[in-house]
Amino acid sequence: RSVYDDQPNAHQKFMEKLDACIRNHDREIEKMCNFHHQGFVDAITELLKVRADAEKLKVQVTDTNRRLQDAGKEVIAQTEEIIRCRVQQRNITTVVEKLQLCLPVLEMYSKLKEQMSVKRYYSALKTMEQLENLYLPRVSQYRFCQIMIENLPKLREEIKEISMSDLKDFLESIRKHSDRIGETAMKQAQQQKTFSTALQKQNNVNYGRNMHLGRNRILESKNEITLKRTFEDEDEHEEEVLTAQDLVDFSPVYRCLHIYSVLGDGEIFENYYRKQRRKQARLVLQPQSSMHETVEGYRRYFSQIVGFFVVEDHILHVTQGLVTRTYTDELWNMALSKIIAVLRTHSSYCSDPDLVLELKNLIVVFADTLQGYGFPVNRLFDLLFEIRDQYNETLLKKWSGLFRDIFEADNYSPIPVANEEEYRVVISKFPFQDPELDKQSFPKKLPMSQSVPQIYMQVKEFIYASLKFSESLHRSSTEIDDMLRKSTNLLLTRTLSSCLQNLIKKPHIGLTELVQIIINTTHLEQACKYLEDFISNITNISQLTVHTARLYGLSTFKDARHAAEGEIYTKLNQKIDEFIQIADYDWTMSESDGRASGYLMDLINFLRSTFQVFTHLPGKVAQTACMSACQHLSMSLMQMLLDSELKQISMGAIQQFNLDVIQCELFASSEPVPGFQGDTLQLAFIDLRQLLDLFMVWDWSTYLADYGQATSKYLRVNPSTALTLLEKMKDSSKKNNIFAQFRKNDRDKQKLIETVVKQLRSLVNGMSQHT
């Protein structure tokens, strides 16, 4: 340490001391070597001796090593081979162990590929699940396993896409097959119902016993033939009856449901399926614009709807949760509202009762089919009652045409029957009873015309047609009886009544035809009780039942008779007016012809022949017609005298007019229609008679003196009427006696006329002021 101290010359001193120390050691070494030199020489000498031996030994060792190496080469080679084999064995063992872990993975993956190729997607998903959870984690360190792990999600998406594509194909398929599925289901429901009905009829020995014999036999034969054909068709097509499962492969739905359930997307699949089916439901429920024109349009519409809900019902029962009863009920309620709206709209366009009846039958089969699948259909049967009204309207229109054709073809003459056979043919169609006529010998005539039995038969046919709609509506016999009676009442009171009223108003219907119409309506009215019995026999409901409606169509025939009677009065008056129009009076003639006018005699002859036809009418009708004709004739003659266009009337014209009135009075007194008491009919001309008598006898003093008294001889002569006629005679007298004014008698007569005119005017003015 002192060497590095800062003392002056310390290093130099140190070096000097070190050199002195080295020299001392060298001297000591030299002394030691000198002391041991001999031993060193001896050792060297011995070493030289050993050197030769060492060289010999080296040669020997080298030779021995060479020989050892040569001998060990084969051992080394075998040892290396053993080592290599041991390494190979160890590697093989390791590979076997690893392959034993990998082989199940590869087998499962191969199985997965095979399942994908044969479209066993649900099994493929199960295989994927096993791969991911059990096999792949054991060998996840290998690259091929990583590839597999990366491919599995892609395979899942591929399976989802493929299954969804299959589902879309399935949805398209059931859309195409819905009508066939529905048609098959409706056919099976109809066959089952027909079979049940047939069994019920066979078991009910009293079925239809009280129905009308002839019609009953026809219906029974038709039922037997229809039933036989139905059973034959069932036997013939038994192998062709297919179910929804036979027509449509539902496996895509099952696969897709299972696949999405396994993948945890079951709710997504359910929502998609329901959404698509709702869209298809809207398409199925959308009718064609021309659907109401043919029954096939309705049948296809119903078949598609039935097919749709049959598929949904199948899906409901074979899957768990894909569709629920709540979902199907909601879908059905939506569909039912749309169906009812469509049927209500399209049925209103139907004008053919046969088409409406076919529609009703289709609705019944449609309702029965869906009811068999558990869907409520009460609203459909309520709709049928609306369609029943539409059906009745179409029936009424059809029967209106039939009635018109019958009336047009009728000859309005009593029905002639030449023998018993013809008579029975008529009474088999119409319940006619007349003991007096039965006593007469053939040939004879029935009072009604040919239209009466035809109308009666058509009313019965209408009842049968109305009954057809009431069948299969699940209604009691009392309700059916009530419906038949109401529809029959509509037929009588509206359709037949309208046809009769229109018939009566037709121009070509003359008095003879009107008389026959009155007779016909009388017999039809009497036949109404037989129609009531007929309805009771069909429905097996006694007329004594409290709630049984009555046919109030009797008023129809009474109204028709009243209208016909009124038309008789009108046509008689028109005919009288026609004769009056051809009257050609010379109102300025100086003297009468001495005989009644030709037009009037023709008119009276016409009235006589007409009233002879009225002998078949009820007495009051004929009497009223005769009285009406006489009153109208009297009024027309009075209006002829008082016509404002007639300015002048001579005394000769008054005398000629008086002759015509006398003929009218003679006609009235001849009792053209029996039953009048005394001179009742002659009173129709009393106004004319008193007026003409006043002018014929020129008894103005008596008229003026007795006016206003109940015992007046000219009580029915109105002062204004007398004044009008007298002024026309005054003007005629002035014109004809211009040069005779210097004759005293003519001057006196003219003054008398003027005096009477003044007095009559004062009476008329007094009457107007009093009024």
Side-chain angles (χ1 to χ4, degrees):
R1 286 195 299 270
S2 64
V3 174
Y4 297 99
D5 292 341
D6 294 332
Q7 295 179 9
N9 301 320
H11 182 269
Q12 183 178 1
K13 290 178 180 181
F14 173 73
M15 295 301 294
E16 290 175 356
K17 289 180 178 182
L18 182 60
D19 290 336
C21 184
I22 291 172
R23 284 191 299 274
N24 290 329
H25 283 290
D26 287 339
R27 284 193 295 274
E28 289 179 357
I29 291 171
E30 185 176 359
K31 287 179 181 181
M32 182 64 69
C33 289
N34 288 327
F35 178 76
H36 294 287
H37 177 71
Q38 187 61 42
F40 179 73
V41 172
D42 294 337
I44 292 299
T45 301
E46 290 181 0
L47 283 174
L48 289 173
K49 291 178 180 179
V50 172
R51 180 176 182 181
D53 295 332
E55 290 179 358
K56 291 180 181 179
L57 180 60
K58 180 178 178 180
V59 172
Q60 292 178 352
V61 170
T62 302
D63 182 60
T64 302
N65 182 52
R66 179 183 57 75
R67 286 186 284 114
L68 181 61
Q69 290 295 329
D70 293 338
K73 284 182 180 178
E74 184 177 356
V75 175
I76 291 172
Q78 292 178 354
T79 302
E80 289 178 354
E81 182 67 23
I82 290 173
I83 293 172
R84 187 178 63 80
C85 288
R86 292 285 177 86
V87 171
Q88 286 181 348
Q89 287 179 348
R90 185 173 65 249
N91 290 341
I92 289 172
T93 302
T94 303
V95 169
V96 169
E97 291 176 355
K98 298 301 182 182
L99 284 178
Q100 286 177 346
L101 291 176
C102 293
L103 278 177
V105 176
L106 297 173
E107 289 175 356
M108 293 296 288
Y109 196 78
S110 175
K111 180 180 178 182
L112 173 63
K113 287 293 185 179
E114 182 180 357
Q115 289 170 342
M116 291 288 292
S117 63
V118 296
K119 299 183 178 182
R120 295 175 57 192
Y121 302 116
Y122 179 70
S123 301
L125 288 175
K126 290 295 184 181
T127 303
M128 287 185 198
E129 186 177 355
Q130 292 178 355
L131 276 172
E132 287 181 330
N133 298 331
L134 184 61
Y135 294 98
L136 286 177
R138 300 175 184 175
V139 289
S140 58
Q141 68 273 21
Y142 299 110
R143 188 175 62 180
F144 76 91
C145 293
Q146 295 298 325
I147 295 173
M148 288 183 184
I149 293 173
E150 293 174 0
N151 285 337
L152 289 181
K154 297 178 181 179
L155 290 176
R156 281 197 177 93
E157 289 299 322
E158 181 182 354
I159 290 174
K160 287 179 67 175
E161 292 176 0
I162 293 173
S163 62
M164 185 57 68
S165 176
D166 290 345
L167 178 67
K168 291 178 180 179
D169 294 340
F170 164 79
L171 293 175
E172 183 67 24
S173 174
I174 60 174
R175 181 182 175 185
K176 293 179 181 179
H177 290 83
S178 287
D179 55 345
R180 190 177 176 192
I181 296 172
E183 184 178 355
T184 301
M186 290 172 68
K187 181 179 178 182
Q188 291 173 342
Q190 190 172 12
Q191 289 175 348
Q192 183 178 2
K193 182 178 180 181
T194 303
F195 182 73
S196 301
T197 304
L199 290 179
Q200 183 180 1
K201 289 182 179 181
Q202 290 177 356
N203 293 331
N204 187 5
V205 295
N206 293 323
Y207 179 80
R209 176 174 292 177
N210 295 325
M211 290 184 64
H212 191 266
L213 181 58
R215 184 70 179 188
N216 185 32
R217 289 176 179 172
I218 294 174
L219 285 178
E220 286 180 354
S221 349
K222 287 184 178 180
N223 289 334
E224 291 175 1
I225 294 173
T226 304
L227 185 60
K228 182 177 179 182
R229 289 178 180 174
T230 302
F231 290 155
E232 289 177 355
D233 292 341
E234 289 179 1
D235 294 337
E236 182 178 353
H237 301 289
E238 184 176 2
E239 296 180 357
E240 299 180 6
V241 176
L242 302 175
T243 62
Q245 296 90 325
D246 298 323
L247 296 173
V248 178
D249 180 16
F250 287 90
S251 57
V253 181
Y254 309 147
R255 285 197 301 268
C256 204
L257 175 61
H258 292 160
I259 288 169
Y260 273 77
S261 299
V262 170
L263 296 177
D265 295 332
E267 186 176 353
I268 296 175
F269 172 72
E270 291 172 8
N271 293 333
Y272 176 81
Y273 177 83
R274 295 180 185 182
K275 182 179 179 181
Q276 294 300 317
R277 288 297 280 165
R278 282 193 179 97
K279 289 182 179 179
Q280 288 189 342
R282 295 188 185 97
L283 292 176
V284 167
L285 294 171
Q286 190 67 30
Q288 296 181 354
S289 58
S290 60
M291 184 180 72
H292 63 278
E293 296 177 358
T294 61
V295 70
E296 289 301 324
Y298 287 109
R299 181 176 285 111
R300 180 174 177 79
Y301 180 67
F302 287 133
S303 298
Q304 289 177 345
I305 296 174
V306 170
F308 178 89
F309 283 99
V310 166
V311 170
E312 290 303 289
D313 182 76
H314 179 77
I315 294 295
L316 172 67
H317 288 90
V318 299
T319 60
Q320 295 180 352
L322 179 56
V323 296
T324 62
R325 176 56 68 181
T326 303
Y327 161 78
T328 55
D329 290 344
E330 178 186 351
L331 197 61
W332 168 245
N333 289 331
M334 180 274 292
L336 191 58
S337 300
K338 178 66 175 179
I339 292 167
I340 291 175
V342 168
L343 293 178
R344 186 178 285 124
T345 300
H346 283 262
S347 64
S348 62
Y349 296 122
C350 294
S351 57
D352 183 7
D354 295 332
L355 180 57
V356 179
L357 185 61
E358 288 287 345
L359 173 59
K360 168 257 175 182
N361 293 331
L362 282 175
I363 293 176
V364 170
V365 175
F366 173 73
D368 290 342
T369 303
L370 288 175
Q371 190 174 30
Y373 284 91
F375 295 99
V377 294
N378 291 333
R379 292 173 62 188
L380 285 174
F381 284 102
D382 293 337
L383 174 66
L384 283 174
F385 284 95
E386 298 180 23
I387 298 180
R388 182 199 64 191
D389 297 335
Q390 172 70 17
Y391 176 70
N392 284 336
E393 288 298 324
T394 58
L395 283 183
L396 292 175
K397 290 180 181 178
K398 179 180 179 179
W399 257 257
S400 176
L402 294 175
F403 288 153
R404 286 197 301 269
D405 294 341
I406 291 173
F407 288 139
E408 288 293 333
D410 195 8
N411 57 7
Y412 297 98
S413 300
I415 301 175
V417 286
N419 48 48
E420 182 72 20
E421 183 179 355
E422 293 182 4
Y423 178 73
R424 292 191 178 280
V425 170
V426 175
I427 63 174
S428 66
K429 298 178 181 178
F430 182 76
F432 174 74
Q433 294 179 355
D434 188 349
E436 295 297 328
L437 186 64
D438 292 341
K439 296 177 182 179
Q440 298 178 13
S441 59
F442 292 99
K444 53 188 175 183
K445 291 184 178 181
L446 303 180
M448 64 278 190
S449 66
Q450 193 63 45
S451 63
V452 172
Q454 294 177 354
I455 292 292
Y456 183 78
M457 292 299 295
Q458 285 301 327
V459 172
K460 291 175 68 175
E461 289 296 329
F462 176 86
I463 294 173
Y464 280 123
S466 182
L467 177 64
K468 288 180 181 178
F469 196 93
S470 301
E471 295 173 346
S472 305
L473 292 185
H474 309 300
R475 297 294 172 176
S476 64
S477 299
T478 304
E479 291 176 309
I480 294 176
D481 182 88
D482 185 61
M483 286 187 286
L484 288 181
R485 292 178 186 273
K486 286 181 179 179
S487 59
T488 306
N489 277 326
L490 281 177
L491 177 72
L492 297 176
T493 57
R494 196 172 78 183
T495 304
L496 182 56
S497 175
S498 176
C499 291
L500 284 171
Q501 296 292 340
N502 293 333
L503 174 66
I504 292 169
K505 296 296 182 182
K506 287 188 175 181
H508 70 275
I509 298 297
L511 293 172
T512 304
E513 288 80 3
L514 289 171
V515 171
Q516 189 62 54
I517 290 173
I518 292 176
I519 296 171
N520 290 349
T521 54
T522 302
H523 287 284
L524 286 173
E525 180 181 350
Q526 294 172 356
C528 278
K529 62 179 181 179
Y530 297 101
L531 289 176
E532 290 190 345
D533 295 338
F534 177 73
I535 295 175
S536 297
N537 290 335
I538 290 178
T539 59
N540 290 328
I541 299 298
S542 174
Q543 296 187 40
L544 301 177
T545 305
V546 177
H547 301 289
T548 300
R550 294 288 182 266
L551 292 183
Y552 49 86
L554 301 176
S555 60
T556 296
F557 304 112
K558 290 181 179 178
D559 294 342
R561 279 202 302 277
H562 292 325
E565 292 168 7
E567 194 67 19
I568 286 176
Y569 308 150
T570 302
K571 286 188 179 295
L572 269 177
N573 295 340
Q574 290 176 352
K575 200 66 176 178
I576 291 172
D577 292 339
E578 292 176 4
F579 281 99
I580 294 295
Q581 288 175 2
I582 64 175
D584 187 17
Y585 282 102
D586 183 5
W587 297 106
T588 60
M589 65 173 58
S590 57
E591 293 182 359
S592 67
D593 294 339
R595 61 180 181 273
S597 301
Y599 85 92
L600 188 67
M601 296 306 297
D602 293 339
L603 172 58
I604 290 174
N605 291 332
F606 165 75
L607 291 176
R608 289 185 189 278
S609 61
T610 300
F611 291 140
Q612 287 178 359
V613 178
F614 287 4
T615 54
H616 297 291
L617 288 175
K620 291 184 179 180
V621 177
Q623 293 171 12
T624 304
C626 186
M627 177 60 76
S628 174
C630 291
Q631 289 176 344
H632 185 74
L633 176 58
S634 175
M635 188 182 301
S636 298
L637 292 175
M638 180 70 78
Q639 290 176 354
M640 189 184 300
L641 285 176
L642 303 178
D643 189 0
S644 59
E645 294 182 0
L646 179 60
K647 303 299 183 181
Q648 298 175 359
I649 299 179
S650 65
M651 193 62 195
I654 294 293
Q655 292 172 352
Q656 180 63 42
F657 202 82
N658 183 57
L659 292 176
D660 293 342
V661 174
I662 291 173
Q663 290 298 323
C664 292
E665 292 172 333
L666 291 174
F667 169 73
S669 62
S670 65
E671 196 176 7
V673 173
F676 286 105
Q677 296 180 354
D679 55 353
T680 303
L681 192 57
Q682 297 178 20
L683 293 177
F685 301 96
I686 188 64
D687 292 353
L688 270 176
R689 172 47 51 209
Q690 291 186 8
L691 180 63
L692 290 175
D693 285 349
L694 177 61
F695 279 85
M696 290 295 294
V697 300
W698 210 251
D699 194 7
W700 292 105
S701 58
T702 303
Y703 174 74
L704 295 172
D706 296 341
Y707 177 75
Q709 298 180 11
T711 59
S712 174
K713 181 180 179 181
Y714 305 101
L715 181 63
R716 306 297 293 272
V717 178
N718 190 291
S720 61
T721 302
L723 175 61
T724 301
L725 186 57
L726 190 58
E727 286 180 339
K728 293 179 180 182
M729 290 189 66
K730 182 183 73 170
D731 294 339
S732 176
S733 177
K734 285 181 178 180
K735 181 178 181 181
N736 294 331
N737 296 303
I738 294 177
F739 299 103
Q741 58 181 339
F742 299 105
R743 291 190 292 233
K744 186 175 183 304
N745 292 334
D746 294 333
R747 289 198 305 272
D748 293 342
K749 185 175 182 181
Q750 189 69 28
K751 289 180 180 180
L752 177 61
I753 292 174
E754 291 177 356
T755 302
V756 173
V757 167
K758 290 179 181 179
Q759 292 177 347
L760 288 174
R761 283 177 179 169
S762 63
L763 282 176
V764 172
N765 292 334
M767 290 174 59
S768 61
Q769 291 175 2
H770 178 69
T771 303

Coordinates of all heavy atoms in Angstrom, one line a residue, residues 187 191 195 227-241:
K187 N -113.8 -34.6 -49.4 CA -114.4 -35.8 -50.0 C -114.6 -36.9 -48.9 O -115.7 -37.5 -48.8 CB -113.6 -36.4 -51.1 CG -114.1 -37.6 -51.8 CD -113.2 -38.1 -52.9 CE -113.8 -39.4 -53.5 NZ -112.9 -39.9 -54.6
Q191 N -118.2 -38.3 -47.6 CA -118.5 -39.7 -47.7 C -118.9 -40.2 -46.3 O -119.8 -41.0 -46.1 CB -117.3 -40.5 -48.2 CG -117.1 -40.3 -49.7 CD -115.8 -41.0 -50.2 OE1 -115.0 -41.4 -49.3 NE2 -115.6 -41.0 -51.5
F195 N -122.5 -41.7 -45.4 CA -122.6 -43.0 -44.8 C -123.4 -43.0 -43.5 O -124.3 -43.8 -43.2 CB -121.2 -43.6 -44.6 CG -121.3 -45.0 -44.0 CD1 -121.6 -46.1 -44.8 CD2 -120.9 -45.2 -42.7 CE1 -121.6 -47.4 -44.2 CE2 -120.9 -46.5 -42.1 CZ -121.3 -47.6 -42.9
L227 N -127.1 -43.2 -52.9 CA -126.4 -43.9 -51.9 C -125.6 -45.1 -52.5 O -124.4 -45.3 -52.2 CB -127.3 -44.4 -50.8 CG -126.7 -45.1 -49.6 CD1 -125.8 -44.2 -48.9 CD2 -127.8 -45.6 -48.7
K228 N -126.3 -45.8 -53.4 CA -125.6 -46.9 -54.1 C -124.4 -46.4 -54.9 O -123.3 -47.0 -54.8 CB -126.6 -47.6 -55.0 CG -126.1 -48.8 -55.7 CD -127.1 -49.5 -56.5 CE -126.6 -50.7 -57.3 NZ -127.6 -51.4 -58.1
R229 N -124.6 -45.3 -55.6 CA -123.5 -44.8 -56.4 C -122.4 -44.3 -55.5 O -121.2 -44.5 -55.8 CB -124.0 -43.6 -57.3 CG -124.8 -44.1 -58.4 CD -125.3 -42.9 -59.2 NE -126.2 -43.3 -60.3 CZ -126.8 -42.4 -61.1 NH1 -126.7 -41.1 -60.9 NH2 -127.6 -42.9 -62.1
T230 N -122.7 -43.7 -54.4 CA -121.7 -43.3 -53.4 C -120.9 -44.4 -52.9 O -119.6 -44.4 -52.9 CB -122.4 -42.5 -52.3 OG1 -123.1 -41.4 -52.8 CG2 -121.3 -42.0 -51.3
F231 N -121.6 -45.5 -52.5 CA -120.8 -46.7 -52.0 C -120.0 -47.3 -53.1 O -118.9 -47.8 -52.9 CB -121.8 -47.7 -51.4 CG -122.4 -47.2 -50.1 CD1 -123.7 -47.7 -49.7 CD2 -121.8 -46.3 -49.3 CE1 -124.3 -47.3 -48.6 CE2 -122.4 -45.9 -48.2 CZ -123.6 -46.4 -47.8
E232 N -120.5 -47.4 -54.3 CA -119.8 -47.9 -55.4 C -118.5 -47.1 -55.7 O -117.4 -47.6 -56.0 CB -120.6 -48.0 -56.7 CG -121.7 -49.1 -56.6 CD -122.6 -49.1 -57.8 OE1 -122.4 -48.2 -58.7 OE2 -123.4 -50.0 -58.0
D233 N -118.7 -45.7 -55.7 CA -117.6 -44.9 -55.9 C -116.5 -45.0 -54.8 O -115.3 -45.0 -55.0 CB -118.0 -43.4 -55.9 CG -118.8 -43.1 -57.2 OD1 -118.7 -43.9 -58.1 OD2 -119.6 -42.1 -57.2
E234 N -117.0 -45.2 -53.5 CA -116.1 -45.4 -52.5 C -115.3 -46.7 -52.7 O -114.1 -46.8 -52.5 CB -116.8 -45.5 -51.1 CG -117.4 -44.2 -50.7 CD -118.1 -44.3 -49.4 OE1 -118.2 -45.4 -48.8 OE2 -118.6 -43.3 -48.9
D235 N -116.0 -47.8 -53.1 CA -115.3 -49.1 -53.3 C -114.3 -48.9 -54.5 O -113.2 -49.5 -54.5 CB -116.3 -50.2 -53.6 CG -117.1 -50.5 -52.4 OD1 -116.7 -50.1 -51.3 OD2 -118.3 -51.0 -52.6
E236 N -114.7 -48.2 -55.5 CA -113.9 -48.1 -56.7 C -112.6 -47.3 -56.4 O -111.6 -47.6 -56.9 CB -114.7 -47.5 -57.8 CG -114.0 -47.4 -59.1 CD -114.8 -46.8 -60.2 OE1 -116.0 -46.6 -60.0 OE2 -114.3 -46.5 -61.3
H237 N -112.8 -46.2 -55.7 CA -111.7 -45.3 -55.4 C -111.1 -45.4 -54.0 O -110.5 -44.5 -53.6 CB -112.2 -43.8 -55.7 CG -112.7 -43.6 -57.0 ND1 -111.9 -43.6 -58.2 CD2 -114.0 -43.4 -57.4 CE1 -112.7 -43.3 -59.2 NE2 -114.0 -43.2 -58.8
E238 N -111.4 -46.5 -53.4 CA -110.9 -46.6 -52.0 C -109.4 -46.5 -52.0 O -108.8 -45.9 -51.0 CB -111.4 -48.0 -51.5 CG -111.0 -48.2 -50.0 CD -111.6 -49.5 -49.5 OE1 -112.2 -50.2 -50.2 OE2 -111.4 -49.7 -48.3
E239 N -108.7 -47.1 -53.0 CA -107.2 -47.1 -52.9 C -106.7 -45.7 -53.3 O -105.6 -45.4 -53.0 CB -106.7 -48.1 -53.9 CG -107.0 -49.6 -53.5 CD -106.5 -50.6 -54.5 OE1 -105.9 -50.1 -55.5 OE2 -106.6 -51.8 -54.3
E240 N -107.5 -44.9 -53.9 CA -107.1 -43.6 -54.3 C -107.2 -42.5 -53.2 O -106.7 -41.4 -53.4 CB -107.9 -43.1 -55.6 CG -107.7 -44.1 -56.8 CD -108.5 -43.6 -58.0 OE1 -109.0 -42.5 -57.9 OE2 -108.5 -44.3 -59.0
V241 N -107.9 -42.8 -52.2 CA -108.1 -41.9 -51.1 C -106.8 -41.7 -50.3 O -106.3 -42.6 -49.7 CB -109.3 -42.3 -50.1 CG1 -109.4 -41.3 -49.0 CG2 -110.6 -42.4 -50.9

